[in-house]
C-alpha cells in the first residue's frame, strides 16, 4: 500500500493496490496487522456508511469528545468527495489548520484521521457513498461540530455557501473560536 503524509503529518493518505483485468479489479482495502504496523496502532469498533444523493452535499465538520473521541479511516466506495480534517489538538503547532484530499471510487484512496481532528466532506458527484471505520462508537452526548465554512479555518471547499447542501445541524455548528479543543494529544500516534 502507498502511504502519503499530508501537510499535517498525522493525516495519512493510503492507496491500496488494485489487481485488475478485463473483468474489473481486486483490492485488499484493510489489513489490521499492516495498519497497526505502518499507520496507527489502533483498533476499529464500528463501520459507518453514508449516501449523498446530490453533488455539493457537505457533511461536517464533526468530531467527538473523549472518552469517545474517534480516529477515522475514510474511503469513498461510489462517486467522489473532497475530504477534510481540521486539527483541534490544543497544543498542536497546526491547531486550527486543515488538510484535504480527494477520495474516489476510481482510485480507492483512503484517509486516516486520528483522534483530535474534526472531519467533513463535500460530494463531487451525485450518488456518492462514503464508508469509514472508527476507533470509538458513536456517542450523542460527546458529539460536536464546527461551522463548515468558518473563515477562521478557511477551507477551500469545492462548493460555495449558496450551493452547499447541508443539514440544519451542520448549518448551526459553532465557529472554531467556540470549539472545545482537545487538551491531550500525541503529535505522532502512528508508526512509520
Amino acid at each position: 500500500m502507498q502511504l502519503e503524509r499530508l501537510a499535517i503529518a498525522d493525516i495519512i493518505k493510503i492507496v491500496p493496490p488494485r489487481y485488475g483485468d478485463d473483468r474489473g479489479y481486486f483490492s485488499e482495502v484493510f489489513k489490521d496487522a499492516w495498519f497497526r504496523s505502518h499507520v496507527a496502532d489502533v483498533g476499529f469498533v464500528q463501520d459507518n456508511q453514508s449516501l449523498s444523493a446530490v453533488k455539493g452535499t457537505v457533511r461536517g465538520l464533526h468530531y467527538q469528545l473523549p472518552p469517545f473521541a474517534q480516529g477515522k479511516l475514510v474511503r469513498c466506495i461510489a462517486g467522489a468527495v473532497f475530504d477534510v480534517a481540521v486539527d483541534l489538538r490544543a497544543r498542536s503547532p497546526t491547531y486550527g489548520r486543515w488538510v484535504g484530499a480527494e477520495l474516489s471510487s476510481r482510485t480507492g484512496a483512503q484517509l486516516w484521521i486520528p483522534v483530535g481532528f474534526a472531519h467533513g466532506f463535500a460530494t463531487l458527484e451525485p450518488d456518492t457513498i462514503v464508508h469509514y471505520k472508527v476507533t470509538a462508537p458513536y456517542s450523542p452526548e460527546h458529539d460536536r461540530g464546527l461551522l463548515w465554512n468558518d473563515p477562521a479555518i478557511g477551507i477551500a471547499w469545492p462548493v460555495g455557501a449558496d450551493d452547499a447542501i447541508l443539514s440544519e445541524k451542520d448549518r448551526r455548528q459553532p465557529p472554531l473560536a467556540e470549539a472545545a479543543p482537545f487538551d491531550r494529544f500525541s503529535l505522532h500516534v502512528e508508526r512509520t
Side-chain angles (χ1 to χ4, degrees), residues 126-170:
D127 298 320
T128 291
I129 300 174
V130 172
H131 175 267
Y132 54 101
K133 303 174 95 50
V134 294
T135 60
Y138 175 68
S139 171
E141 298 81 26
H142 297 85
D143 184 35
R144 299 293 186 274
L146 293 176
L147 184 62
W148 73 284
N149 61 350
D150 181 357
I153 301 170
I155 298 170
W157 291 103
V159 60
D162 293 337
D163 298 321
I165 298 165
L166 294 126
S167 69
E168 279 308 308
K169 174 184 170 183
D170 287 344

Side-chain angles (χ1 to χ4, degrees), residues 75 90-91 93 95 130 135 151 160 167 170 173 180 186 188:
R75 68 188 184 113
R91 295 180 308 274
Y95 175 79
V130 172
T135 60
S167 69
D170 287 344
Q173 296 288 10
S186 169
H188 300 287

Side-chain angles (χ1 to χ4, degrees), residues 26-164:
F26 170 82
S27 182
E28 289 182 344
V29 298
F30 177 78
K31 291 168 66 173
D32 185 68
W34 182 91
F35 191 88
R36 287 176 185 267
S37 175
H38 293 89
V39 180
D41 191 6
V42 299
F44 294 101
V45 301
Q46 183 174 311
D47 283 25
N48 300 321
Q49 186 168 304
S50 69
L51 165 67
S52 299
V54 180
K55 177 182 175 180
T57 297
V58 175
R59 294 183 186 263
L61 300 159
H62 303 144
Y63 64 101
Q64 288 191 169
L65 296 175
F68 291 96
Q70 296 177 324
K72 296 179 181 179
L73 180 61
V74 184
R75 68 188 184 113
C76 184
I77 59 176
V81 296
F82 180 65
D83 205 66
V84 173
V86 178
D87 193 348
L88 295 179
R89 301 168 303 172
R91 295 180 308 274
S92 170
T94 56
Y95 175 79
R97 290 183 31 204
W98 67 276
V99 292
E102 183 174 322
L103 305 179
S104 75
S105 58
R106 287 178 297 286
T107 67
Q110 303 175 43
L111 204 60
W112 164 243
I113 303 167
V115 166
F117 288 81
H119 170 253
F121 61 84
T123 59
L124 304 174
E125 299 177 10
D127 298 320
T128 291
I129 300 174
V130 172
H131 175 267
Y132 54 101
K133 303 174 95 50
V134 294
T135 60
Y138 175 68
S139 171
E141 298 81 26
H142 297 85
D143 184 35
R144 299 293 186 274
L146 293 176
L147 184 62
W148 73 284
N149 61 350
D150 181 357
I153 301 170
I155 298 170
W157 291 103
V159 60
D162 293 337
D163 298 321

Side-chain angles (χ1 to χ4, degrees), residues 171-183:
R171 286 185 193 284
R172 296 187 317 265
Q173 296 288 10
L176 178 65
E178 297 175 19
F182 287 80
D183 290 330

